[in-house]
Amino acid sequence: MPKSFSDSPLRVLIALVTLGLVALASSCSKGPESAAPAKAGTVKIGFLVKQPEEPWFQLEWRFAEQAAADLKFSLVKIGATDGEKVLTAIDNLAAGGAQGLVICTPDTKLGPAIVSKAKAANLKLIAVDDRFVGADQQPMAAVHYLGISARKIGEAVGQTLADEMKRRGWTPADTAVCAITFDELATAKERTDGATAVLLAAGLPKERIFRAPMRTADIPGSFEAANTLLTQKSDVKHWLVCGSNDSAVLGAVRALEGRGVAVENAVAVGINGTDCIVELEKAKPTSFYGSMLLSAKEHGYKTSEMLYKWIKDGVEPPLDTRTIGTLITRENFRKVLKEQGIRE
Ligand code: FCA
């Protein structure tokens, strides 16, 4: 028999043994997850946010990046500020080989369109922050969602304002509430409804709780809303301010300053805790008293991790996850932000 024939079974055997050893070694070093169908590094997910300029969303992205680095998946960050951008982004993600997306949609009514597009492209989907609303105007409970306990956090804002009012010795007769509202968004409405309900229970008369609706959910939108109210109610001595997030409250604080209301005659409490850091760092205190700090890490890292495990290991996340808030003020914000990995 020619030499080449007698050699080849041996070569094949050696090659097989070598391959087996390599496979064994790599499965040991990768740990239990290596049993999953997708190889490490092949998972790709999109993270779409409605307001990429807001520190809150930048932090969500930062924590999602951390998850991507820890779990070794690829992350595509997309600022999706309107419906068209969202739908194009989903097409692009699918074409680019992504298997899922986390999204804070610019409009919750886009929910059904997002769901059907994601389904058609075989993309797994998690809604973060803002819950999808169906054609029947109800929350889309079948879509996986991670958001805040909005009512409770709003109530904590109301309680903080009521406590400050009491501490300062203000009476319901010389105090009024400026609630900057954005009722189009359920999570925003629940927050301001929670805050005003607690203030009502704390003794503020209904007719002194003023709602100022924002046309746009940003600082200029809240400035305008507050300014209109303050112009009409120039006889109010003390103001308690709440809103759906830091931007909503910061616009009102700027409006109070513009109307010449003294810093000590107003107390404003925000939500997010991430978009007011510069405000709290100001050497001279403003009437922005504090904020309910939300967990950007849960919203950015955990959602990405849940999606990754769903794609890679078939572990379906819970349908509805809610996170809590912690009050930060000038007294404790540096310490708390450091503990939460937001500031050095
Ligand atoms: C909404 C708000 C954000 C943030 C988030 C948790 O999306 O617009 O500012 O509060 O919920």
Side-chain angles (χ1 to χ4, degrees), residues 86-87 90-91 94 101 103 109-125 132-134 140 143:
V86 170
L87 300 179
I90 299 177
D91 282 337
L101 68 144
I103 179 168
K109 290 194 290 296
L110 288 170
I114 297 171
V115 168
S116 70
K117 218 173 202 345
K119 248 192 204 136
N122 209 13
L123 294 170
K124 291 195 164 46
L125 178 67
F132 292 177
V133 172
M140 295 179 73
V143 178

Side-chain angles (χ1 to χ4, degrees), residues 248-270:
V249 169
L250 283 170
V253 168
R254 297 289 90 86
L256 284 161
E257 289 166 355
R259 304 284 321 161
V261 175
V263 166
E264 60 277 13
N265 285 339
V267 188
V269 176

Side-chain angles (χ1 to χ4, degrees), residues 12-64:
V12 170
L13 186 67
I14 291 170
L16 283 175
V17 168
T18 313
L19 269 177
L21 284 176
V22 168
L24 186 69
S26 74
S27 82
C28 289
S29 67
K30 270 193 252 160
E33 284 197 353
S34 62
K39 269 196 265 153
T42 60
V43 171
K44 184 175 186 176
I45 71 174
F47 203 116
L48 282 65
V49 304
K50 63 174 181 179
Q51 285 170 299
E53 73 290 350
E54 269 198 2
W56 168 258
F57 293 107
Q58 288 163 13
L59 266 170
E60 276 188 348
W61 271 348
R62 199 173 99 195
F63 284 115

Side-chain angles (χ1 to χ4, degrees), residues 60-274:
E60 276 188 348
W61 271 348
R62 199 173 99 195
F63 284 115
E65 273 168 348
Q66 241 177 52
D70 289 352
L71 301 165
K72 302 191 175 31
F73 61 83
S74 116
L75 180 79
V76 189
K77 297 179 295 177
I78 302 166
T81 48
D82 60 40
E84 209 180 305
K85 290 206 176 85
V86 170
L87 300 179
T88 312
I90 299 177
D91 282 337
N92 291 342
L93 282 169
Q99 300 99 328
L101 68 144
V102 177
I103 179 168
C104 177
T105 174
D107 181 351
T108 52
K109 290 194 290 296
L110 288 170
I114 297 171
V115 168
S116 70
K117 218 173 202 345
K119 248 192 204 136
N122 209 13
L123 294 170
K124 291 195 164 46
L125 178 67
I126 295 180
V128 70
D129 300 340
D130 297 359
R131 200 173 192 192
F132 292 177
V133 172
D136 57 359
Q137 316 299 319
Q138 295 306 305
M140 295 179 73
V143 178
H144 295 75
Y145 171 66
L146 183 145
I148 69 165
S149 317
R151 173 87 191 188
K152 275 209 185 95
I153 290 170
E155 286 169 354
V157 168
Q159 195 54 56
T160 308
L161 291 170
D163 291 348
E164 268 310 294
M165 171 181 161
K166 202 167 159 207
R167 197 179 65 80
R168 293 165 188 231
W170 298 353
T171 63
D174 64 16
T175 308
V177 177
C178 164
I180 305 290
T181 60
F182 193 66
D183 287 356
E184 298 89 311
L185 179 62
T187 181
K189 183 174 186 322
E190 283 171 40
R191 300 173 198 189
T192 42
D193 283 356
T196 51
V198 166
L199 288 164
L200 190 66
L204 263 302
K206 205 167 174 232
E207 57 282 3
R208 291 185 74 78
I209 300 179
F210 301 115
R211 295 163 51 85
M214 289 191 278
R215 246 180 289 173
T216 53
D218 51 19
I219 294 181
S222 82
F223 178 86
E224 214 182 290
N227 210 25
T228 307
L229 174 68
L230 297 175
T231 312
Q232 290 162 358
K233 310 287 169 195
S234 52
D235 54 334
V236 172
K237 193 164 171 208
H238 301 127
W239 282 104
L240 302 174
V241 182
C242 62
S244 60
N245 59 15
D246 288 340
S247 301
V249 169
L250 283 170
V253 168
R254 297 289 90 86
L256 284 161
E257 289 166 355
R259 304 284 321 161
V261 175
V263 166
E264 60 277 13
N265 285 339
V267 188
V269 176
I271 294 176
N272 280 7
T274 52

